[in-house]
């Protein structure tokens, strides 16, 4: 299909107008920032038990087994959820998954 416009003028390699079907660059950066912040928050929250283990034992009297159960449960739940939700992210629902996760995390 030739409309008389030179191939390189405002069109991508397949002849479609440039930017067709693609988000603006600033939207991609906002998505990346949201993803990175979510990844950081998840890693930090999962590591919190390990970092504060001695304080939890001294101040609240938790034993080694109880702290291991708390940390292990958090790890196991995170692993199962990631394995179950990864196919949805692969199908293009990553942004919605991150938004839903942040909403659930904010309510507790």
């Amino acid at each position: 299909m030739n409309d008389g416009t030179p191939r390189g003028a405002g069109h991508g390699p397949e002849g479609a107008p440039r930017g067709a079907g693609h988000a603006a660059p600033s939207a991609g950066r906002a998505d990346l920032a949201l993803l990175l912040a979510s990844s950081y928050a998840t890693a930090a929250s999962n590591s919190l038990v390990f970092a504060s283990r001695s304080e939890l034992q001294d101040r609240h009297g938790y034993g080694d087994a109880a702290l291991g159960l708390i940390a292990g449960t958090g790890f196991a739940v995170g692993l199962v959820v990631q394995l179950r939700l990864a196919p949805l992210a692969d199908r293009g629902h990553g942004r919605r998954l991150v938004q839903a996760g942040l909403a659930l995390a904010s309510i507790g």
Side-chain angles (χ1 to χ4, degrees):
M1 184 168 166
N2 188 356
D3 61 358
T5 306
R7 181 148 177 86
H11 289 80
E14 288 82 32
R18 287 196 179 130
H22 297 287
S26 61
R29 289 184 183 154
D31 288 346
L32 180 61
L34 179 63
L35 179 62
L36 291 174
S38 300
S39 297
Y40 172 77
T42 300
S45 65
N46 286 339
S47 301
L48 186 63
V49 172
F50 297 110
S52 60
R53 190 180 82 197
S54 63
E55 184 175 338
L56 288 170
Q57 284 180 326
D58 295 342
R59 193 177 283 185
H60 301 289
Y62 288 119
D64 290 337
L67 289 173
L69 182 63
I70 292 169
T73 302
F75 175 78
V77 169
L79 177 66
V80 170
V81 168
Q82 288 177 23
L83 290 175
R84 299 289 295 165
L85 295 180
L88 292 174
D90 291 341
R91 292 183 197 123
H93 302 290
R95 184 175 184 177
R96 287 187 181 162
L97 289 171
V98 169
Q99 290 171 341
L102 288 174
L104 289 172
S106 69
I107 60 174

